[in-house]
Amino acid sequence: MALDPTQAANKALNALGAETLTDIGESSTNARRCQAAMAMLVDEVLEAHPWHFAKRRAPLAASGTAPDFGWGYAFPLPTAPWCLRPLQVGGRDAGDDWTVEGRDILANEPGPLQLVFIARVDLAQASGHFGRALGYRLAAEIGFAVTNSREVVADMWRLYERSLSDARAINAQSAPPAEAEASYLLAARR
């Protein structure tokens, strides 16, 4: 599903029971509200979930400047496409092996590191679940200005959270099952 900003704005306005737009660039009050919030919210919704359409991979080389202490190497995050959220380095989640500080990944291994991340992507690549989540998030953002109702804003926020939950369920169904690590409890059952 290709999503454009006008469609995302109209998803929000429909959810709020407001008049929809012909084009997000029009001069109506609701169009200006949507325009003002859209760029920030697209990044926010992309960061909120590991959307398959926004996942990218990149090898990272260490920068010439090491961190002052605690870690051996700094690796600048990708800028083309812009890295919004690192997911894994070398198949491992953040923790003892690496961390994010500013626009760098800090690690003790010299690299290159294999990064999986959420990128800022064109909305034309977006999934239907992302479009629904973005619409509800935008509705929550502009909801009070449009409806003057805190209840409607709370409802839109709940619908946004539900859309993220639905996206997690879809991801779980499309991912291979996780391997259980061997432990003394599993060994005892055998």
Side-chain angles (χ1 to χ4, degrees), residues 35-82:
Q35 289 170 25
M38 186 69 71
M40 173 190 71
L41 293 180
V42 168
D43 283 358
E44 181 183 309
V45 176
L46 281 168
E47 290 175 9
H49 176 71
W51 304 98
H52 290 311
F53 73 89
K55 280 186 184 179
R56 299 293 184 270
R57 295 170 180 268
L60 299 181
S63 71
T65 307
D68 290 334
F69 57 88
W71 297 94
Y73 302 92
F75 300 84
L77 290 171
T79 57
W82 188 266

Side-chain angles (χ1 to χ4, degrees), residues 87-89 91-98:
L87 297 174
Q88 292 185 327
V89 170
R92 297 180 310 273
D93 296 332
D96 294 336
D97 294 337
W98 63 276

Side-chain angles (χ1 to χ4, degrees), residues 7-8 16 19 25 34 39 49 70 82 88 91 140 152 155 165 170 173:
Q7 289 173 312
L16 295 170
E19 190 173 325
C34 291
H49 176 71
W82 188 266
Q88 292 185 327
V152 168
D155 287 345
S165 177
I170 295 297
Q173 294 170 15

Side-chain angles (χ1 to χ4, degrees), residues 98-118:
W98 63 276
T99 190
V100 177
E101 194 171 281
R103 291 285 307 155
D104 291 325
I105 288 183
L106 305 181
N108 286 323
E109 58 187 85
L113 299 181
Q114 303 303 314
L115 175 67
V116 177
F117 63 101
I118 295 297

Side-chain angles (χ1 to χ4, degrees), residues 92-167:
R92 297 180 310 273
D93 296 332
D96 294 336
D97 294 337
W98 63 276
T99 190
V100 177
E101 194 171 281
R103 291 285 307 155
D104 291 325
I105 288 183
L106 305 181
N108 286 323
E109 58 187 85
L113 299 181
Q114 303 303 314
L115 175 67
V116 177
F117 63 101
I118 295 297
R120 181 178 289 148
V121 296
D122 185 347
L123 287 181
Q125 301 173 24
S127 68
H129 288 284
F130 177 84
R132 188 167 59 120
L134 178 60
Y136 287 136
R137 181 61 188 93
L138 181 58
E141 187 73 16
I142 66 170
F144 190 77
V146 173
T147 66
N148 203 30
S149 169
R150 294 188 195 289
E151 286 180 14
V152 168
V153 171
D155 287 345
M156 294 302 109
W157 191 260
R158 279 190 293 276
L159 288 168
Y160 166 66
E161 290 175 332
R162 172 71 187 267
S163 65
L164 290 179
S165 177
D166 290 349

